[in-house]
Amino acid sequence: MKDLSVYCRKGDNRNEPVLLFEWGWMAMDPFSQVILIISVTSFFTFQWLFHKVSPWISRHISPGFAGLSDKQKVEWNSRTVSTFHALLVGLFCLYILCFDDAVNEDPVWGDPTLVKTNVAITTGYLISDLLLIFYYWKAIGDKFFVVHHLAALYAYYYVLGQGMLPYFANFRLLAEFSTPCVNQRWFFEVLGYPKTSGPNMANGVAMALVFFMVRIAVMPVYYSRMCAVYGTEAFYLVPWGGRVAWICSSICLDIMNIMWMHKITRGCYKVLRSAHRSKKVSAPQENGKTD
């Protein structure tokens, strides 16, 4: 924990301490050149993956890719890059949660070095994806994603620029683990896989389980840590903009997560029920005929 016992007093001899704001600024890590380089490198890497790597790999591993329309190929490459980003930052996030003692012990002002690296990678990806969304608006344009990306970049400013709330910023990246299954669902759909096909149903069940684990089941842990630091001296060193980006965005995002979980569960149940009925209809009766 950082030493929060540095105070200044007003000139009226009162015993009520006032936090030294100059100390607060000194405690905040500046936007280092290394983090900037990582963000820029991330941006160009994801652009390269979209324009060069994804089309080349997709042509070789999926014969159906060649038959897609130009708009579908744009979204295909976008989702391929999205899957790669999700796995990369998700695994990095899991490592930090398990082994970064400084962040886990001090969720507000713990050493943000590893978290800032992970968030810098995500920042580069978000800016890259925003550029692609605007350039290929007719294919992948979505106002919701624009708002989502801009809101995320606003929140990440406080992590990268001032080094605050590393635990909570990193914890949020756990949600990326559900992205590959969501993208795979789209891949199956565009390739013409029936909803009741084995691969599609297996992915649907996996999507529901993973989404629940990384977005719903973790809520008690996340908000218990938030309540634990609320009102502490470390909390009051966070500026109002940072508190809004942290608390309000978390609540809004989790309301959406609950709504999405409800839709995913209903969809998964319908597909499994439909598959069960089809199997039951096609099953032979005692006389050797089907229903």
Side-chain angles (χ1 to χ4, degrees), residues 107-108 168 223-236 240 243 246-247:
V108 181
F168 299 100
Y223 286 103
S224 65
R225 293 302 299 270
M226 180 184 290
C227 292
V229 301
Y230 184 84
T232 63
E233 292 172 318
F235 171 83
Y236 286 116
W240 274 105
R243 297 181 207 172
W246 168 32
I247 299 175

Side-chain angles (χ1 to χ4, degrees), residues 20-283:
L20 182 62
F21 289 103
E22 289 79 7
W23 180 92
W25 284 108
M26 291 174 62
M28 298 176 184
D29 294 334
F31 192 98
S32 68
Q33 292 183 353
V34 174
I35 296 301
L36 178 60
I37 291 173
I38 292 174
S39 298
V40 173
T41 302
S42 172
F43 170 84
F44 285 109
T45 298
F46 286 114
Q47 285 288 313
W48 174 65
L49 290 172
F50 175 87
H51 291 287
K52 299 296 182 181
V53 178
S54 176
W56 184 86
I57 293 179
S58 299
R59 283 194 299 268
H60 286 79
I61 67 173
S62 179
F65 178 77
L68 300 179
S69 66
D70 290 341
K71 288 184 178 180
Q72 288 175 326
K73 287 180 179 178
V74 169
E75 185 163 359
W76 178 291
N77 293 328
S78 175
R79 288 180 179 273
T80 300
V81 174
S82 171
T83 296
F84 175 78
H85 163 263
L87 292 174
L88 176 63
V89 301
L91 291 172
F92 200 177
C93 165
L94 201 57
Y95 173 83
I96 293 172
L97 285 175
C98 293
F99 301 107
D100 194 334
D101 294 334
V103 168
N104 292 323
E105 292 175 3
D106 185 356
V108 181
W109 293 106
D111 180 11
T113 302
L114 292 180
V115 174
K116 288 175 73 172
T117 301
N118 205 19
V119 170
I121 294 172
T122 297
T123 298
Y125 165 74
L126 291 176
I127 297 174
S128 173
D129 199 47
L130 273 176
L131 178 63
L132 295 173
I133 288 174
F134 288 127
Y135 190 80
Y136 297 104
W137 186 263
K138 292 183 178 180
I140 57 176
D142 190 315
K143 293 179 181 179
F144 171 78
F145 280 110
V146 172
V147 173
H148 170 271
H149 287 10
L150 291 177
L153 289 172
Y154 169 70
Y156 289 156
Y157 159 76
Y158 290 97
V159 182
L160 296 178
Q162 303 183 32
M164 63 182 63
L165 304 168
Y167 174 87
F168 299 100
N170 185 70
F171 201 100
R172 277 297 171 188
L173 288 175
L174 271 179
E176 291 296 333
F177 275 120
S178 64
T179 300
C181 291
V182 174
N183 289 337
Q184 189 60 48
R185 179 177 178 270
W186 183 89
F187 291 143
F188 283 143
E189 180 180 345
V190 79
L191 290 175
Y193 280 69
K195 289 185 177 181
T196 55
S197 64
N200 218 335
M201 288 197 297
N203 180 73
V205 173
M207 180 176 67
L209 291 175
V210 174
F211 193 97
F212 175 77
M213 290 174 60
V214 301
R215 293 177 183 256
I216 306 299
V218 296
M219 285 185 188
V221 178
Y222 182 84
Y223 286 103
S224 65
R225 293 302 299 270
M226 180 184 290
C227 292
V229 301
Y230 184 84
T232 63
E233 292 172 318
F235 171 83
Y236 286 116
L237 281 174
V238 178
W240 274 105
R243 297 181 207 172
V244 172
W246 168 32
I247 299 175
C248 294
S249 64
S250 294
I251 295 174
C252 292
L253 182 60
D254 284 330
I255 290 175
M256 289 189 292
N257 283 333
I258 293 173
M259 295 171 61
W260 287 333
M261 186 73 251
H262 176 68
K263 291 182 178 180
I264 290 173
T265 303
R266 288 186 61 185
C268 186
Y269 173 76
K270 287 181 179 180
V271 171
L272 292 176
R273 187 177 181 183
S274 176
H276 178 71
R277 285 180 176 178
S278 299
K279 185 177 180 180
K280 193 174 182 180
V281 168
S282 61

